[in-house]
Amino acid sequence: MFEKVLVALDGSHRSEAILRPLLPIARAFGSSLTLLHVVEEVVHAEEGEVRAAARRHMEDVASLARAYLEEVAAGLRSQGLAVSTEVDFGRPHHTIVSRAREGGYSLLAMATRGRGMVAGPVLGSTVARVLPESPVPVLTVRPVRRQRLWSAPSRMARVEVPLDGSDLAETALGPAREVASRLKLPLSLLQVLPVSVTVPLGSGTGMLWDAASSYQRQLDVLASSYVASVGRRLMEAGLQVEWDVVGGPVVDAIIDWAGRDGPSLIVMATHGRSGLARWLGSITEGVVRRSHLPVLVVPPKR
């Protein structure tokens, strides 16, 4: 797992922040890294001269990108990592997903909201397009600015897995177990229950869900039993595991829990479903977009 990693960089220091949470994982798994920059065509024209001029511009950008990637690669090689570089042409999200699929990669890594060497789409929008299409897990992080530099956590206190009671959500447990074991980190399981939800209905108000109802108490018992059973199963496999059930807005609860007592690596599945709510797909996107902690997004088994 994670022996071969494709790292998307756009030429910005912000995009390089993904290397901070990635490198401990790469060292633990003995991963080889491929640094990829995608040059996007910024002028679409039928006229031959215009098209030729645009192509020359793209080749100039590609030359700069190769020099940039080699500079980054040299720094990583000096740390004992196996690193190669590639520059490709095309639409960034299509190219990244195609490379991941055709190149036999086991992990994609990219920061959100990077800004590249030329005007055009930012990595944030690229990440949003890559996540639902990627055939392999995607490690993302939203960098935070510290003075003149962009940074991200490099040391994790634990690995957190949000669950919703579905089999699809549990697909995140496999990679989470492997990462926790290799990095010697505890595993934290979390299930978030809904808060009271009301909607305006003309001059009145309708209650969709009452957190003080007997149904909520029953749901709390069922959810606690569920995460405890998953946790005990993981403990039997030799992992250090903790679990909890909390209430509140789901994205906020996941991010707050992951940040307590030091940063966590959040491992989430996409397109999770439960009998109570269909939330993990959109929730995963919300966590990726809002959290400054690294998030490992695991695609469903196809």
Side-chain angles (χ1 to χ4, degrees):
M1 181 176 286
F2 304 158
E3 290 84 4
K4 193 176 179 183
V5 183
L6 183 64
V7 186
L9 299 176
D10 70 354
S12 70
H13 292 302
R14 186 168 190 162
S15 72
E16 293 171 29
I18 189 60
L19 296 172
R20 290 182 59 80
L22 172 62
L23 292 188
I25 297 174
R27 293 189 182 100
F29 284 87
S31 309
S32 63
L33 308 183
T34 299
L35 309 183
L36 172 68
H37 179 87
V38 181
V39 179
E40 184 172 18
E41 186 175 4
V42 294
V43 177
H44 301 275
E46 296 295 331
E47 187 178 344
E49 291 185 6
V50 175
R51 188 166 60 249
R55 187 67 188 183
R56 288 194 297 271
H57 171 72
M58 291 170 62
E59 290 292 350
D60 290 341
V61 173
S63 179
L64 292 173
R66 292 186 185 97
Y68 158 72
L69 291 179
E70 282 299 325
E71 182 180 355
V72 176
L76 296 174
R77 291 176 187 133
S78 69
Q79 301 178 48
L81 295 166
V83 186
S84 60
T85 64
E86 292 185 12
V87 173
D88 206 345
F89 300 88
R91 298 177 65 183
H93 68 282
H94 283 319
T95 303
I96 292 169
V97 170
S98 296
R99 282 300 184 99
R101 180 180 294 112
E102 297 166 4
Y105 292 95
S106 49
L107 178 66
L108 272 175
M110 54 198 307
T112 64
R113 298 182 65 186
R115 297 196 178 274
M117 291 179 281
V118 294
V122 298
L123 262 183
S125 61
T126 301
V127 169
R129 291 178 173 90
V130 165
L131 288 179
E133 298 181 20
S134 176
V136 299
V138 183
L139 178 68
T140 74
V141 73
R142 180 186 172 200
V144 60
R145 193 177 187 105
R146 301 190 186 283
Q147 296 181 347
R148 296 184 178 182
L149 300 176
W150 291 97
S151 184
S154 60
R155 294 185 178 181
M156 301 295 109
R158 67 184 60 80
V159 176
E160 176 189 337
V161 183
L163 298 173
D164 71 349
S166 70
D167 291 338
L168 282 172
E170 289 188 22
T171 59
L173 290 173
R177 284 180 54 176
E178 191 70 21
V179 172
S181 178
R182 294 288 185 103
L183 296 181
K184 296 180 173 55
L185 296 176
L187 195 60
S188 179
L189 309 179
L190 179 69
Q191 181 154 8
V192 184
L193 300 183
V195 293
S196 297
V197 179
T198 60
V199 293
L201 297 173
S203 59
T205 299
M207 177 72 72
L208 288 183
W209 183 263
D210 183 2
S213 68
S214 61
Y215 296 107
Q216 179 78 6
R217 292 190 291 272
Q218 295 176 38
L219 181 60
D220 189 286
V221 172
L222 290 172
S224 299
S225 176
Y226 163 66
V227 294
S229 67
V230 176
R232 284 192 291 267
R233 188 171 75 237
L234 294 170
M235 291 177 69
E236 291 173 358
L239 293 170
Q240 180 183 345
V241 188
E242 62 177 356
W243 56 84
D244 201 359
V245 175
V246 300
V250 180
V251 173
D252 291 339
I254 292 172
I255 294 174
D256 291 346
W257 183 266
R260 67 186 183 93
D261 303 326
S264 299
L265 169 65
I266 305 172
V267 184
M268 301 183 70
T270 56
H271 310 299
R273 297 293 184 265
S274 72
L276 172 70
R278 303 169 58 189
W279 58 267
L280 256 182
S282 60
I283 294 302
T284 300
E285 180 183 353
V287 172
V288 169
R289 185 176 65 251
R290 291 172 49 189
S291 175
H292 288 291
L293 299 174
V295 184
L296 180 61
V297 180
V298 182
K301 296 177 181 178
R302 304 187 186 280

PDB file of all heavy atoms in Angstrom, residues 58-80:
ATOM      1  N   MET A  58       3.344  27.229 -24.154  1.00  0.00           N
ATOM      2  CA  MET A  58       3.208  26.067 -23.280  1.00  0.00           C
ATOM      3  C   MET A  58       4.538  25.343 -23.115  1.00  0.00           C
ATOM      4  O   MET A  58       4.868  24.869 -22.034  1.00  0.00           O
ATOM      5  CB  MET A  58       2.153  25.117 -23.838  1.00  0.00           C
ATOM      6  CG  MET A  58       0.734  25.672 -23.770  1.00  0.00           C
ATOM      7  SD  MET A  58      -0.453  24.661 -24.690  1.00  0.00           S
ATOM      8  CE  MET A  58      -0.332  23.114 -23.799  1.00  0.00           C
ATOM      9  N   GLU A  59       5.328  25.264 -24.181  1.00  0.00           N
ATOM     10  CA  GLU A  59       6.636  24.621 -24.090  1.00  0.00           C
ATOM     11  C   GLU A  59       7.570  25.425 -23.184  1.00  0.00           C
ATOM     12  O   GLU A  59       8.374  24.847 -22.441  1.00  0.00           O
ATOM     13  CB  GLU A  59       7.246  24.466 -25.481  1.00  0.00           C
ATOM     14  CG  GLU A  59       6.542  23.446 -26.361  1.00  0.00           C
ATOM     15  CD  GLU A  59       6.730  22.022 -25.863  1.00  0.00           C
ATOM     16  OE1 GLU A  59       7.554  21.794 -24.948  1.00  0.00           O
ATOM     17  OE2 GLU A  59       6.028  21.126 -26.370  1.00  0.00           O
ATOM     18  N   ASP A  60       7.460  26.763 -23.243  1.00  0.00           N
ATOM     19  CA  ASP A  60       8.270  27.598 -22.350  1.00  0.00           C
ATOM     20  C   ASP A  60       7.880  27.338 -20.888  1.00  0.00           C
ATOM     21  O   ASP A  60       8.753  27.227 -20.011  1.00  0.00           O
ATOM     22  CB  ASP A  60       8.084  29.078 -22.686  1.00  0.00           C
ATOM     23  CG  ASP A  60       8.709  29.463 -24.025  1.00  0.00           C
ATOM     24  OD1 ASP A  60       9.578  28.713 -24.505  1.00  0.00           O
ATOM     25  OD2 ASP A  60       8.323  30.508 -24.581  1.00  0.00           O
ATOM     26  N   VAL A  61       6.570  27.262 -20.646  1.00  0.00           N
ATOM     27  CA  VAL A  61       6.102  26.979 -19.291  1.00  0.00           C
ATOM     28  C   VAL A  61       6.564  25.594 -18.851  1.00  0.00           C
ATOM     29  O   VAL A  61       6.987  25.393 -17.701  1.00  0.00           O
ATOM     30  CB  VAL A  61       4.564  27.094 -19.209  1.00  0.00           C
ATOM     31  CG1 VAL A  61       4.068  26.641 -17.837  1.00  0.00           C
ATOM     32  CG2 VAL A  61       4.118  28.518 -19.486  1.00  0.00           C
ATOM     33  N   ALA A  62       6.500  24.632 -19.764  1.00  0.00           N
ATOM     34  CA  ALA A  62       6.925  23.269 -19.431  1.00  0.00           C
ATOM     35  C   ALA A  62       8.405  23.229 -19.070  1.00  0.00           C
ATOM     36  O   ALA A  62       8.810  22.497 -18.159  1.00  0.00           O
ATOM     37  CB  ALA A  62       6.643  22.333 -20.604  1.00  0.00           C
ATOM     38  N   SER A  63       9.218  24.025 -19.764  1.00  0.00           N
ATOM     39  CA  SER A  63      10.642  24.067 -19.450  1.00  0.00           C
ATOM     40  C   SER A  63      10.869  24.608 -18.040  1.00  0.00           C
ATOM     41  O   SER A  63      11.680  24.069 -17.273  1.00  0.00           O
ATOM     42  CB  SER A  63      11.370  24.934 -20.475  1.00  0.00           C
ATOM     43  OG  SER A  63      12.743  25.020 -20.180  1.00  0.00           O
ATOM     44  N   LEU A  64      10.136  25.663 -17.688  1.00  0.00           N
ATOM     45  CA  LEU A  64      10.228  26.208 -16.332  1.00  0.00           C
ATOM     46  C   LEU A  64       9.749  25.188 -15.307  1.00  0.00           C
ATOM     47  O   LEU A  64      10.332  25.037 -14.224  1.00  0.00           O
ATOM     48  CB  LEU A  64       9.393  27.484 -16.225  1.00  0.00           C
ATOM     49  CG  LEU A  64       9.880  28.704 -17.003  1.00  0.00           C
ATOM     50  CD1 LEU A  64       8.841  29.825 -16.933  1.00  0.00           C
ATOM     51  CD2 LEU A  64      11.220  29.183 -16.462  1.00  0.00           C
ATOM     52  N   ALA A  65       8.677  24.467 -15.654  1.00  0.00           N
ATOM     53  CA  ALA A  65       8.127  23.478 -14.729  1.00  0.00           C
ATOM     54  C   ALA A  65       9.119  22.349 -14.487  1.00  0.00           C
ATOM     55  O   ALA A  65       9.253  21.876 -13.347  1.00  0.00           O
ATOM     56  CB  ALA A  65       6.813  22.931 -15.279  1.00  0.00           C
ATOM     57  N   ARG A  66       9.807  21.907 -15.529  1.00  0.00           N
ATOM     58  CA  ARG A  66      10.790  20.823 -15.352  1.00  0.00           C
ATOM     59  C   ARG A  66      11.911  21.258 -14.410  1.00  0.00           C
ATOM     60  O   ARG A  66      12.342  20.492 -13.542  1.00  0.00           O
ATOM     61  CB  ARG A  66      11.351  20.408 -16.708  1.00  0.00           C
ATOM     62  CG  ARG A  66      10.328  19.727 -17.617  1.00  0.00           C
ATOM     63  CD  ARG A  66      10.971  19.213 -18.895  1.00  0.00           C
ATOM     64  NE  ARG A  66       9.956  18.684 -19.794  1.00  0.00           N
ATOM     65  CZ  ARG A  66       9.412  19.368 -20.793  1.00  0.00           C
ATOM     66  NH1 ARG A  66       9.829  20.607 -21.043  1.00  0.00           N
ATOM     67  NH2 ARG A  66       8.483  18.823 -21.554  1.00  0.00           N
ATOM     68  N   ALA A  67      12.379  22.493 -14.595  1.00  0.00           N
ATOM     69  CA  ALA A  67      13.440  22.992 -13.719  1.00  0.00           C
ATOM     70  C   ALA A  67      12.946  23.105 -12.283  1.00  0.00           C
ATOM     71  O   ALA A  67      13.668  22.765 -11.329  1.00  0.00           O
ATOM     72  CB  ALA A  67      13.931  24.350 -14.225  1.00  0.00           C
ATOM     73  N   TYR A  68      11.716  23.566 -12.130  1.00  0.00           N
ATOM     74  CA  TYR A  68      11.123  23.692 -10.793  1.00  0.00           C
ATOM     75  C   TYR A  68      10.988  22.326 -10.122  1.00  0.00           C
ATOM     76  O   TYR A  68      11.382  22.142  -8.959  1.00  0.00           O
ATOM     77  CB  TYR A  68       9.766  24.379 -10.907  1.00  0.00           C
ATOM     78  CG  TYR A  68       8.839  24.111  -9.750  1.00  0.00           C
ATOM     79  CD1 TYR A  68       9.065  24.681  -8.495  1.00  0.00           C
ATOM     80  CD2 TYR A  68       7.738  23.274  -9.905  1.00  0.00           C
ATOM     81  CE1 TYR A  68       8.214  24.420  -7.431  1.00  0.00           C
ATOM     82  CE2 TYR A  68       6.888  23.011  -8.848  1.00  0.00           C
ATOM     83  CZ  TYR A  68       7.122  23.585  -7.609  1.00  0.00           C
ATOM     84  OH  TYR A  68       6.289  23.325  -6.562  1.00  0.00           O
ATOM     85  N   LEU A  69      10.448  21.349 -10.835  1.00  0.00           N
ATOM     86  CA  LEU A  69      10.259  20.019 -10.250  1.00  0.00           C
ATOM     87  C   LEU A  69      11.585  19.375  -9.883  1.00  0.00           C
ATOM     88  O   LEU A  69      11.703  18.708  -8.847  1.00  0.00           O
ATOM     89  CB  LEU A  69       9.497  19.125 -11.228  1.00  0.00           C
ATOM     90  CG  LEU A  69       8.025  19.472 -11.492  1.00  0.00           C
ATOM     91  CD1 LEU A  69       7.434  18.497 -12.500  1.00  0.00           C
ATOM     92  CD2 LEU A  69       7.213  19.486 -10.206  1.00  0.00           C
ATOM     93  N   GLU A  70      12.606  19.572 -10.717  1.00  0.00           N
ATOM     94  CA  GLU A  70      13.909  18.992 -10.414  1.00  0.00           C
ATOM     95  C   GLU A  70      14.519  19.610  -9.160  1.00  0.00           C
ATOM     96  O   GLU A  70      15.190  18.934  -8.381  1.00  0.00           O
ATOM     97  CB  GLU A  70      14.859  19.161 -11.602  1.00  0.00           C
ATOM     98  CG  GLU A  70      14.614  18.167 -12.716  1.00  0.00           C
ATOM     99  CD  GLU A  70      14.804  16.731 -12.243  1.00  0.00           C
ATOM    100  OE1 GLU A  70      15.691  16.477 -11.392  1.00  0.00           O
ATOM    101  OE2 GLU A  70      14.061  15.849 -12.708  1.00  0.00           O
ATOM    102  N   GLU A  71      14.257  20.895  -8.960  1.00  0.00           N
ATOM    103  CA  GLU A  71      14.753  21.554  -7.748  1.00  0.00           C
ATOM    104  C   GLU A  71      14.088  20.964  -6.508  1.00  0.00           C
ATOM    105  O   GLU A  71      14.749  20.684  -5.504  1.00  0.00           O
ATOM    106  CB  GLU A  71      14.492  23.052  -7.828  1.00  0.00           C
ATOM    107  CG  GLU A  71      15.009  23.834  -6.623  1.00  0.00           C
ATOM    108  CD  GLU A  71      14.750  25.323  -6.727  1.00  0.00           C
ATOM    109  OE1 GLU A  71      14.253  25.778  -7.773  1.00  0.00           O
ATOM    110  OE2 GLU A  71      15.042  26.035  -5.747  1.00  0.00           O
ATOM    111  N   VAL A  72      12.761  20.777  -6.568  1.00  0.00           N
ATOM    112  CA  VAL A  72      12.057  20.173  -5.443  1.00  0.00           C
ATOM    113  C   VAL A  72      12.516  18.739  -5.239  1.00  0.00           C
ATOM    114  O   VAL A  72      12.756  18.288  -4.115  1.00  0.00           O
ATOM    115  CB  VAL A  72      10.530  20.227  -5.670  1.00  0.00           C
ATOM    116  CG1 VAL A  72       9.796  19.510  -4.529  1.00  0.00           C
ATOM    117  CG2 VAL A  72      10.050  21.665  -5.785  1.00  0.00           C
ATOM    118  N   ALA A  73      12.670  17.999  -6.341  1.00  0.00           N
ATOM    119  CA  ALA A  73      13.087  16.601  -6.258  1.00  0.00           C
ATOM    120  C   ALA A  73      14.472  16.464  -5.640  1.00  0.00           C
ATOM    121  O   ALA A  73      14.729  15.533  -4.863  1.00  0.00           O
ATOM    122  CB  ALA A  73      13.065  15.959  -7.644  1.00  0.00           C
ATOM    123  N   ALA A  74      15.374  17.375  -5.978  1.00  0.00           N
ATOM    124  CA  ALA A  74      16.734  17.301  -5.432  1.00  0.00           C
ATOM    125  C   ALA A  74      16.711  17.403  -3.916  1.00  0.00           C
ATOM    126  O   ALA A  74      17.447  16.685  -3.214  1.00  0.00           O
ATOM    127  CB  ALA A  74      17.594  18.410  -6.033  1.00  0.00           C
ATOM    128  N   GLY A  75      15.864  18.286  -3.390  1.00  0.00           N
ATOM    129  CA  GLY A  75      15.764  18.403  -1.935  1.00  0.00           C
ATOM    130  C   GLY A  75      15.227  17.144  -1.287  1.00  0.00           C
ATOM    131  O   GLY A  75      15.660  16.756  -0.201  1.00  0.00           O
ATOM    132  N   LEU A  76      14.282  16.472  -1.956  1.00  0.00           N
ATOM    133  CA  LEU A  76      13.725  15.239  -1.406  1.00  0.00           C
ATOM    134  C   LEU A  76      14.714  14.085  -1.528  1.00  0.00           C
ATOM    135  O   LEU A  76      14.819  13.252  -0.625  1.00  0.00           O
ATOM    136  CB  LEU A  76      12.425  14.895  -2.141  1.00  0.00           C
ATOM    137  CG  LEU A  76      11.279  15.913  -1.980  1.00  0.00           C
ATOM    138  CD1 LEU A  76      10.105  15.530  -2.868  1.00  0.00           C
ATOM    139  CD2 LEU A  76      10.835  15.996  -0.522  1.00  0.00           C
ATOM    140  N   ARG A  77      15.447  14.047  -2.634  1.00  0.00           N
ATOM    141  CA  ARG A  77      16.444  12.979  -2.798  1.00  0.00           C
ATOM    142  C   ARG A  77      17.541  13.089  -1.751  1.00  0.00           C
ATOM    143  O   ARG A  77      18.079  12.071  -1.291  1.00  0.00           O
ATOM    144  CB  ARG A  77      17.039  13.046  -4.204  1.00  0.00           C
ATOM    145  CG  ARG A  77      16.062  12.657  -5.312  1.00  0.00           C
ATOM    146  CD  ARG A  77      16.685  12.848  -6.678  1.00  0.00           C
ATOM    147  NE  ARG A  77      15.714  12.648  -7.753  1.00  0.00           N
ATOM    148  CZ  ARG A  77      15.562  13.462  -8.783  1.00  0.00           C
ATOM    149  NH1 ARG A  77      16.345  14.536  -8.907  1.00  0.00           N
ATOM    150  NH2 ARG A  77      14.656  13.206  -9.704  1.00  0.00           N
ATOM    151  N   SER A  78      17.859  14.318  -1.349  1.00  0.00           N
ATOM    152  CA  SER A  78      18.886  14.497  -0.322  1.00  0.00           C
ATOM    153  C   SER A  78      18.445  13.930   1.020  1.00  0.00           C
ATOM    154  O   SER A  78      19.268  13.703   1.906  1.00  0.00           O
ATOM    155  CB  SER A  78      19.227  15.982  -0.180  1.00  0.00           C
ATOM    156  OG  SER A  78      18.141  16.712   0.381  1.00  0.00           O
ATOM    157  N   GLN A  79      17.121  13.687   1.168  1.00  0.00           N
ATOM    158  CA  GLN A  79      16.592  13.087   2.388  1.00  0.00           C
ATOM    159  C   GLN A  79      16.441  11.571   2.252  1.00  0.00           C
ATOM    160  O   GLN A  79      15.845  10.926   3.105  1.00  0.00           O
ATOM    161  CB  GLN A  79      15.233  13.712   2.721  1.00  0.00           C
ATOM    162  CG  GLN A  79      15.277  15.217   2.923  1.00  0.00           C
ATOM    163  CD  GLN A  79      13.908  15.805   3.213  1.00  0.00           C
ATOM    164  OE1 GLN A  79      13.168  15.290   4.053  1.00  0.00           O
ATOM    165  NE2 GLN A  79      13.553  16.880   2.536  1.00  0.00           N
ATOM    166  N   GLY A  80      16.958  11.030   1.156  1.00  0.00           N
ATOM    167  CA  GLY A  80      16.947   9.587   0.970  1.00  0.00           C
ATOM    168  C   GLY A  80      15.728   9.027   0.285  1.00  0.00           C
ATOM    169  O   GLY A  80      15.521   7.805   0.271  1.00  0.00           O
TER     170      GLY A  80
END
